[in-house]
Amino acid sequence: MTIKIGLVSVSDRASNGTYQDLGIPALQQWLEQALATPFSTVTRLIADEQPLIEATLKALVDDEGCSLVLTTGGTGPAPRDVTPDATLAVAEREMPGFGEQMRQISLHFVPTAILSRQVGVIRKQALILNLPGQPKAIQETLQGLKDSAGAPLVSGIFSAVPYCLDLIGAPYIETVESVVKAFRPKSAQRPSA
C-alpha cells in the first residue's frame, strides 16, 4: 500500500520567487531515505497567509487524501509566522508531544529553540506536523541525534509517527531502521514485507 504525504513549504520569499525553496526538497530527500513503504507526495509552496495555509492543509487531507502532512517554515514568534495558528485552526485534536520533542532536539543546537511554536495535530485520519525551516534542522528533528558511535542521544519525532498513524486509522508504514527506527509495541508490529 502506498501512503500519500503532503509537503508544504510556507515562505513569502520562496513563494514569490525571491529565493529557491529548500524545505520541500529536504523533506522529499529525507523521506526517500527513511521510508521503506512506498509513498507519493503532494507538494505546495505557499505564502505566510493564515487563510491560505488553512485552506492548503484542509485540501491536502480532505481532498487529496494525505495521511501525513509535513509543513516547513513560519513557526517562529514574528507576526508573519502563522503556520502553527493555521494548523491548530484546522485540527480536531492536538498532539503536544511532537512540538515538545522538536524543541528538545533543537535546544541541543540553539537556545532560541524555545521561540519555536511548532505543533502536531490530527485532522480526520491524518497527522499534520510543523517542522523547522532549515534542511539541517528538518533532518535532526525527524531523525533525532546520535553520538559519534551512532547510538541515539535524543529520539527524532518520526520514530513515533508510524504508530500514531496506526492509531488514527492511516496506512501502516515501515521505516529504514538505519535512518530512523519506528517504535511500535509488539502487539502492533506486522511482519516485514
Side-chain angles (χ1 to χ4, degrees):
M1 171 176 267
T2 299
I3 183 170
K4 192 180 274 192
I5 302 174
L7 305 178
V8 182
S9 184
V10 181
S11 169
D12 286 333
R13 291 179 290 170
S15 66
N16 71 21
T18 303
Y19 70 77
Q20 183 179 359
D21 173 59
L22 301 176
I24 290 173
L27 289 168
Q28 184 80 37
Q29 180 181 23
W30 190 85
L31 289 167
E32 287 169 2
Q33 295 171 354
L35 288 186
T37 301
F39 69 95
S40 64
T41 58
V42 181
T43 63
R44 300 287 185 268
L45 174 57
I46 59 174
D48 285 286
E49 300 289 346
Q50 185 166 341
L52 177 58
I53 300 167
E54 288 180 27
T56 300
L57 296 176
K58 286 179 186 175
L60 288 171
V61 173
D62 302 356
D63 304 330
E64 297 284 349
C66 293
S67 299
L68 175 64
V69 177
L70 304 175
T71 74
T72 177
T75 59
R80 297 283 301 160
D81 292 334
V82 293
T83 303
D85 310 275
T87 304
L88 290 168
V90 304
E92 293 170 0
R93 294 161 60 193
E94 187 175 357
M95 300 293 292
F98 284 106
E100 293 164 6
Q101 186 66 5
M102 286 187 263
R103 284 181 283 279
Q104 179 62 32
I105 292 165
S106 296
L107 278 168
H108 282 265
F109 301 98
V110 291
T112 54
I114 60 172
L115 302 178
S116 170
R117 300 184 310 119
Q118 296 155 327
V119 298
V121 305
I122 294 170
R123 178 180 176 86
K124 298 185 178 181
Q125 290 179 298
L127 177 63
I128 304 172
L129 299 172
N130 300 154
L131 299 172
Q134 296 301 314
K136 181 177 182 286
I138 289 170
Q139 178 178 335
E140 291 161 352
T141 300
L142 291 170
Q143 198 166 312
L145 307 175
K146 296 179 180 176
D147 64 19
S148 58
L153 290 172
V154 180
S155 293
I157 63 164
F158 209 87
S159 60
V161 167
Y163 187 49
C164 181
L165 293 176
D166 295 349
L167 293 171
I168 63 175
Y172 188 92
I173 65 170
E174 294 182 278
T175 60
V176 175
E177 290 193 9
S178 61
V179 178
V180 62
K181 182 174 172 36
F183 173 80
R184 283 184 172 98
K186 286 191 179 182
S187 61
Q189 295 174 15
R190 297 181 190 170
S192 293

